[in-house]
Amino acid sequence: MSTTTSHTAESEEHPQGAAAAGGTGGTATRPARLIHNEATTEIPVHLLFRDDPDPVSVPLKPAVVARRQGTGEQPRLTRPAPARSRTVPQLDPGLVERPARVLPGLAGVLAGAGGIAGCLATSWWAGVLPPLAVDALRLPAYGGAGLGPAQWAAYAGAGALGVLGFGGLARGRTGQARLLGLFGRYRGTVRRTGLLWMNPLLARRRVDVRLRHWRSEAMPATDTNGVAVRVVVLVVWRVRDTARAVLGIDDHETYLRECVEAALARVAVDLPRGARGGPAAAAEALTRLVAADAGPIGLEVFSVQPLRVEYTPEVAAAMHRRQIAALDARERSSMLNSVVDSVEDTVTRLTMRGLVELDDYERKVWVRDLTVAFCAGRREPA
């Protein structure tokens, strides 16, 4: 009887084991251990410790399982989103400014003078030079051989030399550069000054490389509160790489204007407030953004300064009323603080000097009357 009772109690304590034993015809089996948690399902223990015949080394990363909301437990850790890099315009890597080959202007003058002298000598040789020119040049008298193939060839050579000599002369100016090209191919940039000789077959294009400034029209922007404003900016810039600025894009001035508009769409510009206003705080960010966008095309931006910031006509009246209300509230707060300080000082001095003895009720009445009197006096126009 005792043996039966012990088996019954044992079966009640381990119902799963008893059921397993009864299902296999009396053969005892080991019960499966389970992990129980309020936030997870039942996981067999043997699944956590499975033997892998060929384990592969995998780097482990810390992770936190999502917990139930309202239990005070930590949430799931999320991976930070990768930072998106700004797209920088890429041009032809071979399109870089390089100096062009030019000669001093004296070489062109000598070549042109040689061509003229050759034409005169050929005319004297052919006998077509006027007698007045022969006497002026003090040439010996010569009957001339006439215009033949040799004379015409000499004329052609001397004329070509004169055209090349005088046609290639150019004057280089300070603050200007000349972009040279041949049949659509970039051949170099000339930044030298003075009289120069260039190949007359090369196409020339002037580029202003001086320090320049550009004042924009009123452009749309927003302040830190998201209110629409209009901004007029002043950009100080110059052309640093003539090849990229002229050949890399259609119009570098138009591109600069669009860079300023894009920067204003990303930077908030506030109205001036005191010595350190909103435009001064936004100037550094605007300069950095515009310089980063205009640098790859050969433009060097020194500063982008907001000159005038104003609200758009749609919100100007509302913002004006808001500013007036803020000024009125600030004035009222200042006046109230001054009145409270005056009342406190008056009551304290009267009681400390023993001029009056006030209980709590009388003190409240005095404070009320003095406050009304001081406020009325301050509201009266001066």
Side-chain angles (χ1 to χ4, degrees), residues 67-93:
R67 310 297 177 86
R68 288 183 178 179
Q69 185 176 4
T71 59
E73 299 173 344
Q74 297 179 355
R76 181 188 299 270
L77 294 179
T78 58
R79 295 183 179 180
R84 296 182 179 180
S85 59
R86 297 178 61 252
T87 303
V88 179
Q90 299 292 337
L91 300 179
D92 185 5

PDB file of all heavy atoms in Angstrom, residues 67-93:
ATOM      1  N   ARG A  67      11.814  43.076 -25.921  1.00  0.00           N
ATOM      2  CA  ARG A  67      11.027  42.748 -24.737  1.00  0.00           C
ATOM      3  C   ARG A  67       9.603  43.277 -24.889  1.00  0.00           C
ATOM      4  O   ARG A  67       9.312  44.080 -25.762  1.00  0.00           O
ATOM      5  CB  ARG A  67      11.679  43.347 -23.486  1.00  0.00           C
ATOM      6  CG  ARG A  67      13.154  43.039 -23.370  1.00  0.00           C
ATOM      7  CD  ARG A  67      13.420  41.566 -23.223  1.00  0.00           C
ATOM      8  NE  ARG A  67      14.842  41.279 -23.186  1.00  0.00           N
ATOM      9  CZ  ARG A  67      15.577  41.310 -22.081  1.00  0.00           C
ATOM     10  NH1 ARG A  67      15.027  41.654 -20.932  1.00  0.00           N
ATOM     11  NH2 ARG A  67      16.853  40.997 -22.116  1.00  0.00           N
ATOM     12  N   ARG A  68       8.756  42.834 -24.005  1.00  0.00           N
ATOM     13  CA  ARG A  68       7.383  43.274 -24.065  1.00  0.00           C
ATOM     14  C   ARG A  68       7.257  44.717 -23.613  1.00  0.00           C
ATOM     15  O   ARG A  68       7.937  45.150 -22.685  1.00  0.00           O
ATOM     16  CB  ARG A  68       6.511  42.391 -23.167  1.00  0.00           C
ATOM     17  CG  ARG A  68       6.303  40.991 -23.714  1.00  0.00           C
ATOM     18  CD  ARG A  68       5.396  40.197 -22.833  1.00  0.00           C
ATOM     19  NE  ARG A  68       5.148  38.862 -23.384  1.00  0.00           N
ATOM     20  CZ  ARG A  68       4.391  37.970 -22.783  1.00  0.00           C
ATOM     21  NH1 ARG A  68       3.819  38.259 -21.619  1.00  0.00           N
ATOM     22  NH2 ARG A  68       4.220  36.793 -23.333  1.00  0.00           N
ATOM     23  N   GLN A  69       6.401  45.439 -24.247  1.00  0.00           N
ATOM     24  CA  GLN A  69       6.189  46.838 -23.918  1.00  0.00           C
ATOM     25  C   GLN A  69       5.460  46.945 -22.579  1.00  0.00           C
ATOM     26  O   GLN A  69       4.508  46.227 -22.313  1.00  0.00           O
ATOM     27  CB  GLN A  69       5.362  47.523 -25.011  1.00  0.00           C
ATOM     28  CG  GLN A  69       5.210  49.019 -24.803  1.00  0.00           C
ATOM     29  CD  GLN A  69       4.479  49.658 -25.962  1.00  0.00           C
ATOM     30  OE1 GLN A  69       4.040  48.945 -26.855  1.00  0.00           O
ATOM     31  NE2 GLN A  69       4.340  50.963 -25.934  1.00  0.00           N
ATOM     32  N   GLY A  70       5.924  47.841 -21.736  1.00  0.00           N
ATOM     33  CA  GLY A  70       5.314  48.052 -20.433  1.00  0.00           C
ATOM     34  C   GLY A  70       5.946  47.275 -19.321  1.00  0.00           C
ATOM     35  O   GLY A  70       5.524  47.383 -18.171  1.00  0.00           O
ATOM     36  N   THR A  71       6.967  46.445 -19.601  1.00  0.00           N
ATOM     37  CA  THR A  71       7.633  45.677 -18.555  1.00  0.00           C
ATOM     38  C   THR A  71       8.858  46.371 -18.003  1.00  0.00           C
ATOM     39  O   THR A  71       9.515  45.848 -17.112  1.00  0.00           O
ATOM     40  CB  THR A  71       8.043  44.298 -19.097  1.00  0.00           C
ATOM     41  OG1 THR A  71       8.919  44.499 -20.226  1.00  0.00           O
ATOM     42  CG2 THR A  71       6.820  43.522 -19.564  1.00  0.00           C
ATOM     43  N   GLY A  72       9.220  47.565 -18.552  1.00  0.00           N
ATOM     44  CA  GLY A  72      10.398  48.271 -18.053  1.00  0.00           C
ATOM     45  C   GLY A  72      11.702  47.708 -18.547  1.00  0.00           C
ATOM     46  O   GLY A  72      12.765  47.996 -18.001  1.00  0.00           O
ATOM     47  N   GLU A  73      11.666  46.854 -19.580  1.00  0.00           N
ATOM     48  CA  GLU A  73      12.874  46.239 -20.088  1.00  0.00           C
ATOM     49  C   GLU A  73      13.412  47.018 -21.268  1.00  0.00           C
ATOM     50  O   GLU A  73      12.717  47.835 -21.872  1.00  0.00           O
ATOM     51  CB  GLU A  73      12.577  44.792 -20.484  1.00  0.00           C
ATOM     52  CG  GLU A  73      12.101  43.958 -19.287  1.00  0.00           C
ATOM     53  CD  GLU A  73      11.657  42.583 -19.717  1.00  0.00           C
ATOM     54  OE1 GLU A  73      11.432  42.413 -20.928  1.00  0.00           O
ATOM     55  OE2 GLU A  73      11.545  41.690 -18.871  1.00  0.00           O
ATOM     56  N   GLN A  74      14.666  46.762 -21.602  1.00  0.00           N
ATOM     57  CA  GLN A  74      15.343  47.506 -22.663  1.00  0.00           C
ATOM     58  C   GLN A  74      14.796  47.117 -24.035  1.00  0.00           C
ATOM     59  O   GLN A  74      14.432  45.965 -24.262  1.00  0.00           O
ATOM     60  CB  GLN A  74      16.839  47.231 -22.634  1.00  0.00           C
ATOM     61  CG  GLN A  74      17.509  47.697 -21.343  1.00  0.00           C
ATOM     62  CD  GLN A  74      18.978  47.386 -21.357  1.00  0.00           C
ATOM     63  OE1 GLN A  74      19.465  46.748 -22.281  1.00  0.00           O
ATOM     64  NE2 GLN A  74      19.688  47.828 -20.334  1.00  0.00           N
ATOM     65  N   PRO A  75      14.723  48.078 -24.978  1.00  0.00           N
ATOM     66  CA  PRO A  75      14.252  47.746 -26.332  1.00  0.00           C
ATOM     67  C   PRO A  75      15.353  47.100 -27.151  1.00  0.00           C
ATOM     68  O   PRO A  75      16.498  46.991 -26.721  1.00  0.00           O
ATOM     69  CB  PRO A  75      13.864  49.123 -26.896  1.00  0.00           C
ATOM     70  CG  PRO A  75      14.777  50.063 -26.180  1.00  0.00           C
ATOM     71  CD  PRO A  75      14.963  49.498 -24.785  1.00  0.00           C
ATOM     72  N   ARG A  76      14.997  46.723 -28.349  1.00  0.00           N
ATOM     73  CA  ARG A  76      15.951  46.108 -29.262  1.00  0.00           C
ATOM     74  C   ARG A  76      16.946  47.143 -29.771  1.00  0.00           C
ATOM     75  O   ARG A  76      16.579  48.273 -30.087  1.00  0.00           O
ATOM     76  CB  ARG A  76      15.221  45.494 -30.460  1.00  0.00           C
ATOM     77  CG  ARG A  76      16.132  44.807 -31.454  1.00  0.00           C
ATOM     78  CD  ARG A  76      15.334  44.418 -32.673  1.00  0.00           C
ATOM     79  NE  ARG A  76      14.265  43.496 -32.329  1.00  0.00           N
ATOM     80  CZ  ARG A  76      14.404  42.173 -32.320  1.00  0.00           C
ATOM     81  NH1 ARG A  76      15.572  41.631 -32.633  1.00  0.00           N
ATOM     82  NH2 ARG A  76      13.389  41.400 -31.993  1.00  0.00           N
ATOM     83  N   LEU A  77      18.217  46.732 -29.820  1.00  0.00           N
ATOM     84  CA  LEU A  77      19.242  47.609 -30.362  1.00  0.00           C
ATOM     85  C   LEU A  77      19.165  47.601 -31.888  1.00  0.00           C
ATOM     86  O   LEU A  77      19.084  46.547 -32.504  1.00  0.00           O
ATOM     87  CB  LEU A  77      20.632  47.150 -29.919  1.00  0.00           C
ATOM     88  CG  LEU A  77      20.922  47.249 -28.422  1.00  0.00           C
ATOM     89  CD1 LEU A  77      22.319  46.737 -28.146  1.00  0.00           C
ATOM     90  CD2 LEU A  77      20.772  48.675 -27.947  1.00  0.00           C
ATOM     91  N   THR A  78      19.173  48.750 -32.476  1.00  0.00           N
ATOM     92  CA  THR A  78      19.118  48.884 -33.934  1.00  0.00           C
ATOM     93  C   THR A  78      20.444  49.385 -34.455  1.00  0.00           C
ATOM     94  O   THR A  78      21.128  50.170 -33.790  1.00  0.00           O
ATOM     95  CB  THR A  78      18.007  49.859 -34.350  1.00  0.00           C
ATOM     96  OG1 THR A  78      18.250  51.130 -33.726  1.00  0.00           O
ATOM     97  CG2 THR A  78      16.646  49.330 -33.914  1.00  0.00           C
ATOM     98  N   ARG A  79      20.807  48.941 -35.632  1.00  0.00           N
ATOM     99  CA  ARG A  79      22.045  49.386 -36.244  1.00  0.00           C
ATOM    100  C   ARG A  79      21.905  50.812 -36.750  1.00  0.00           C
ATOM    101  O   ARG A  79      20.891  51.165 -37.332  1.00  0.00           O
ATOM    102  CB  ARG A  79      22.413  48.469 -37.416  1.00  0.00           C
ATOM    103  CG  ARG A  79      22.721  47.042 -36.995  1.00  0.00           C
ATOM    104  CD  ARG A  79      23.136  46.220 -38.207  1.00  0.00           C
ATOM    105  NE  ARG A  79      23.451  44.849 -37.812  1.00  0.00           N
ATOM    106  CZ  ARG A  79      23.836  43.912 -38.682  1.00  0.00           C
ATOM    107  NH1 ARG A  79      23.920  44.214 -39.984  1.00  0.00           N
ATOM    108  NH2 ARG A  79      24.114  42.704 -38.262  1.00  0.00           N
ATOM    109  N   PRO A  80      22.917  51.625 -36.514  1.00  0.00           N
ATOM    110  CA  PRO A  80      22.826  53.009 -37.022  1.00  0.00           C
ATOM    111  C   PRO A  80      22.844  53.030 -38.537  1.00  0.00           C
ATOM    112  O   PRO A  80      23.556  52.275 -39.190  1.00  0.00           O
ATOM    113  CB  PRO A  80      24.078  53.681 -36.436  1.00  0.00           C
ATOM    114  CG  PRO A  80      25.021  52.543 -36.168  1.00  0.00           C
ATOM    115  CD  PRO A  80      24.160  51.362 -35.802  1.00  0.00           C
ATOM    116  N   ALA A  81      22.036  53.915 -39.089  1.00  0.00           N
ATOM    117  CA  ALA A  81      21.966  54.028 -40.550  1.00  0.00           C
ATOM    118  C   ALA A  81      23.262  54.605 -41.082  1.00  0.00           C
ATOM    119  O   ALA A  81      23.822  55.538 -40.498  1.00  0.00           O
ATOM    120  CB  ALA A  81      20.797  54.923 -40.958  1.00  0.00           C
ATOM    121  N   PRO A  82      23.798  54.054 -42.154  1.00  0.00           N
ATOM    122  CA  PRO A  82      25.056  54.586 -42.700  1.00  0.00           C
ATOM    123  C   PRO A  82      24.871  56.013 -43.197  1.00  0.00           C
ATOM    124  O   PRO A  82      23.851  56.358 -43.786  1.00  0.00           O
ATOM    125  CB  PRO A  82      25.379  53.626 -43.856  1.00  0.00           C
ATOM    126  CG  PRO A  82      24.058  53.017 -44.242  1.00  0.00           C
ATOM    127  CD  PRO A  82      23.257  52.943 -42.968  1.00  0.00           C
ATOM    128  N   ALA A  83      25.878  56.834 -42.915  1.00  0.00           N
ATOM    129  CA  ALA A  83      25.821  58.239 -43.340  1.00  0.00           C
ATOM    130  C   ALA A  83      25.942  58.329 -44.854  1.00  0.00           C
ATOM    131  O   ALA A  83      26.809  57.702 -45.468  1.00  0.00           O
ATOM    132  CB  ALA A  83      26.948  59.024 -42.673  1.00  0.00           C
ATOM    133  N   ARG A  84      25.068  59.096 -45.450  1.00  0.00           N
ATOM    134  CA  ARG A  84      25.086  59.264 -46.893  1.00  0.00           C
ATOM    135  C   ARG A  84      26.066  60.357 -47.273  1.00  0.00           C
ATOM    136  O   ARG A  84      26.010  61.476 -46.766  1.00  0.00           O
ATOM    137  CB  ARG A  84      23.697  59.635 -47.402  1.00  0.00           C
ATOM    138  CG  ARG A  84      22.654  58.539 -47.185  1.00  0.00           C
ATOM    139  CD  ARG A  84      21.317  58.965 -47.769  1.00  0.00           C
ATOM    140  NE  ARG A  84      20.318  57.905 -47.586  1.00  0.00           N
ATOM    141  CZ  ARG A  84      19.072  58.008 -48.006  1.00  0.00           C
ATOM    142  NH1 ARG A  84      18.669  59.124 -48.626  1.00  0.00           N
ATOM    143  NH2 ARG A  84      18.213  57.018 -47.808  1.00  0.00           N
ATOM    144  N   SER A  85      26.973  60.029 -48.128  1.00  0.00           N
ATOM    145  CA  SER A  85      27.955  61.007 -48.588  1.00  0.00           C
ATOM    146  C   SER A  85      27.339  61.889 -49.667  1.00  0.00           C
ATOM    147  O   SER A  85      26.547  61.437 -50.495  1.00  0.00           O
ATOM    148  CB  SER A  85      29.194  60.296 -49.154  1.00  0.00           C
ATOM    149  OG  SER A  85      28.825  59.456 -50.224  1.00  0.00           O
ATOM    150  N   ARG A  86      27.700  63.172 -49.627  1.00  0.00           N
ATOM    151  CA  ARG A  86      27.195  64.117 -50.603  1.00  0.00           C
ATOM    152  C   ARG A  86      27.810  63.832 -51.971  1.00  0.00           C
ATOM    153  O   ARG A  86      28.981  63.498 -52.101  1.00  0.00           O
ATOM    154  CB  ARG A  86      27.513  65.546 -50.178  1.00  0.00           C
ATOM    155  CG  ARG A  86      26.846  65.938 -48.896  1.00  0.00           C
ATOM    156  CD  ARG A  86      27.216  67.335 -48.464  1.00  0.00           C
ATOM    157  NE  ARG A  86      26.807  68.319 -49.452  1.00  0.00           N
ATOM    158  CZ  ARG A  86      27.650  68.962 -50.241  1.00  0.00           C
ATOM    159  NH1 ARG A  86      28.940  68.733 -50.173  1.00  0.00           N
ATOM    160  NH2 ARG A  86      27.227  69.869 -51.095  1.00  0.00           N
ATOM    161  N   THR A  87      26.987  63.984 -52.985  1.00  0.00           N
ATOM    162  CA  THR A  87      27.448  63.738 -54.347  1.00  0.00           C
ATOM    163  C   THR A  87      28.262  64.925 -54.833  1.00  0.00           C
ATOM    164  O   THR A  87      27.782  66.058 -54.836  1.00  0.00           O
ATOM    165  CB  THR A  87      26.254  63.509 -55.284  1.00  0.00           C
ATOM    166  OG1 THR A  87      25.474  62.429 -54.781  1.00  0.00           O
ATOM    167  CG2 THR A  87      26.729  63.197 -56.685  1.00  0.00           C
ATOM    168  N   VAL A  88      29.507  64.655 -55.204  1.00  0.00           N
ATOM    169  CA  VAL A  88      30.407  65.695 -55.698  1.00  0.00           C
ATOM    170  C   VAL A  88      30.519  65.536 -57.211  1.00  0.00           C
ATOM    171  O   VAL A  88      30.749  64.422 -57.706  1.00  0.00           O
ATOM    172  CB  VAL A  88      31.795  65.581 -55.045  1.00  0.00           C
ATOM    173  CG1 VAL A  88      32.723  66.648 -55.581  1.00  0.00           C
ATOM    174  CG2 VAL A  88      31.674  65.687 -53.539  1.00  0.00           C
ATOM    175  N   PRO A  89      30.342  66.599 -57.975  1.00  0.00           N
ATOM    176  CA  PRO A  89      30.430  66.477 -59.429  1.00  0.00           C
ATOM    177  C   PRO A  89      31.821  66.047 -59.861  1.00  0.00           C
ATOM    178  O   PRO A  89      32.829  66.560 -59.380  1.00  0.00           O
ATOM    179  CB  PRO A  89      30.085  67.882 -59.926  1.00  0.00           C
ATOM    180  CG  PRO A  89      30.320  68.776 -58.765  1.00  0.00           C
ATOM    181  CD  PRO A  89      30.043  67.976 -57.549  1.00  0.00           C
ATOM    182  N   GLN A  90      31.872  65.079 -60.777  1.00  0.00           N
ATOM    183  CA  GLN A  90      33.135  64.563 -61.288  1.00  0.00           C
ATOM    184  C   GLN A  90      33.274  64.967 -62.757  1.00  0.00           C
ATOM    185  O   GLN A  90      32.391  64.699 -63.562  1.00  0.00           O
ATOM    186  CB  GLN A  90      33.191  63.033 -61.145  1.00  0.00           C
ATOM    187  CG  GLN A  90      33.082  62.546 -59.703  1.00  0.00           C
ATOM    188  CD  GLN A  90      34.293  62.904 -58.879  1.00  0.00           C
ATOM    189  OE1 GLN A  90      35.382  63.125 -59.422  1.00  0.00           O
ATOM    190  NE2 GLN A  90      34.121  62.976 -57.569  1.00  0.00           N
ATOM    191  N   LEU A  91      34.403  65.612 -63.075  1.00  0.00           N
ATOM    192  CA  LEU A  91      34.679  66.017 -64.443  1.00  0.00           C
ATOM    193  C   LEU A  91      35.782  65.135 -65.011  1.00  0.00           C
ATOM    194  O   LEU A  91      36.289  64.225 -64.351  1.00  0.00           O
ATOM    195  CB  LEU A  91      35.092  67.494 -64.478  1.00  0.00           C
ATOM    196  CG  LEU A  91      34.055  68.492 -63.942  1.00  0.00           C
ATOM    197  CD1 LEU A  91      34.611  69.896 -64.022  1.00  0.00           C
ATOM    198  CD2 LEU A  91      32.757  68.383 -64.709  1.00  0.00           C
ATOM    199  N   ASP A  92      36.130  65.405 -66.256  1.00  0.00           N
ATOM    200  CA  ASP A  92      37.200  64.667 -66.904  1.00  0.00           C
ATOM    201  C   ASP A  92      38.505  64.887 -66.140  1.00  0.00           C
ATOM    202  O   ASP A  92      38.926  66.038 -65.945  1.00  0.00           O
ATOM    203  CB  ASP A  92      37.341  65.157 -68.344  1.00  0.00           C
ATOM    204  CG  ASP A  92      38.369  64.348 -69.123  1.00  0.00           C
ATOM    205  OD1 ASP A  92      38.890  63.355 -68.574  1.00  0.00           O
ATOM    206  OD2 ASP A  92      38.650  64.715 -70.282  1.00  0.00           O
ATOM    207  N   PRO A  93      39.148  63.822 -65.627  1.00  0.00           N
ATOM    208  CA  PRO A  93      40.388  64.034 -64.861  1.00  0.00           C
ATOM    209  C   PRO A  93      41.497  64.688 -65.666  1.00  0.00           C
ATOM    210  O   PRO A  93      42.385  65.315 -65.100  1.00  0.00           O
ATOM    211  CB  PRO A  93      40.773  62.615 -64.414  1.00  0.00           C
ATOM    212  CG  PRO A  93      40.044  61.693 -65.332  1.00  0.00           C
ATOM    213  CD  PRO A  93      38.790  62.398 -65.718  1.00  0.00           C
TER     214      PRO A  93
END
